[in-house]
Amino acid sequence: MVVLGRVVAPFGVKGWLKIQPFGDDPLSWRKMPHWWLAPESEMPDEQWARYALRDCQAHGKGLVACLDGIADRNAAELLSGWYIAAPREFLPQPEENEYYWGDLVGMAVRDEAGELLGEVTGLLSTGAHDVLQVRDGEMERLIPFVAAYVLDVDLAARSIRTAWQKDW
């Protein structure tokens, strides 16, 4: 499963959900007839619950969505904090130099000299740009995911080359 976002709260009284998307084009999710939800992002694929999508709309910096089987606010409240995902085959192919966050997690991050800085453990959306969370033992680095610092992403090699120094 590729994690796409998270339910942050119920929206209204008719079972709608307020969604925090993890990415740039969440309205493209409307093309998927089903969404999968789970309380933890690392759940095995078979433990994600599948819901038919009834409606999805932009709302502020996020989305609001209505799923079959979520009939009222009480049902929507039970899903607060749950993650939204989809199997890879249901997702559109990213454009050149675009990546799903889930594809970046676990990648090795190296500086220009090839020295290992750590592994991507997650990403943060700051509004201005995304930030790679890179962990090397107890040390965590936050590297802006912008062209000035991220020089190359090699999905096949599971490696990211950066203009970031180990001592920064």
Side-chain angles (χ1 to χ4, degrees):
M1 292 293 206
V2 176
V3 176
L4 302 172
R6 191 170 190 176
V7 177
V8 293
F11 182 79
V13 296
K14 296 184 179 180
W16 283 68
L17 304 168
K18 186 174 180 182
I19 310 293
Q20 174 196 7
F22 300 157
D24 292 336
D25 188 18
L27 286 177
S28 67
W29 302 0
R30 290 190 289 199
K31 297 175 187 171
M32 297 186 304
H34 297 96
W35 289 7
W36 287 257
L37 277 70
E40 301 292 331
S41 63
E42 299 299 322
M43 300 287 282
D45 290 358
E46 62 275 2
Q47 292 184 8
W48 288 79
R50 187 174 98 164
Y51 292 88
L53 178 64
R54 290 194 339 218
D55 197 2
C56 174
Q57 301 171 11
H59 182 76
K61 293 183 180 182
L63 299 173
V64 291
C66 183
L67 305 174
D68 274 349
I70 312 299
D72 58 27
R73 185 174 183 88
N74 292 337
E77 285 175 347
L78 296 174
L79 298 175
S80 288
W82 283 40
Y83 291 88
I84 300 165
R88 165 70 69 191
E89 61 268 16
F90 282 86
L91 299 173
Q93 287 296 327
E95 299 292 326
E96 186 176 345
N97 294 321
E98 290 184 352
Y99 310 95
Y100 287 110
W101 284 13
D103 291 342
L104 301 176
V105 173
M107 288 184 131
V109 178
R110 300 183 181 281
D111 65 14
E112 292 177 278
E115 187 173 357
L116 184 66
L117 300 177
E119 181 178 293
V120 177
T121 58
L123 286 99
L124 302 170
S125 182
T126 65
H129 52 75
D130 296 332
V131 176
L132 293 170
Q133 295 174 281
V134 178
R135 182 161 297 282
D136 180 24
E138 295 298 315
M139 167 70 96
E140 181 180 57
R141 292 178 178 84
L142 300 175
I143 302 174
F145 194 70
V146 295
Y149 296 113
V150 176
L151 305 175
D152 182 58
V153 176
D154 188 338
L155 291 173
R158 307 272 310 137
S159 180
I160 299 173
R161 189 172 61 93
T162 66
W164 199 263
Q165 301 299 314
K166 196 164 192 152
D167 58 350
W168 288 1

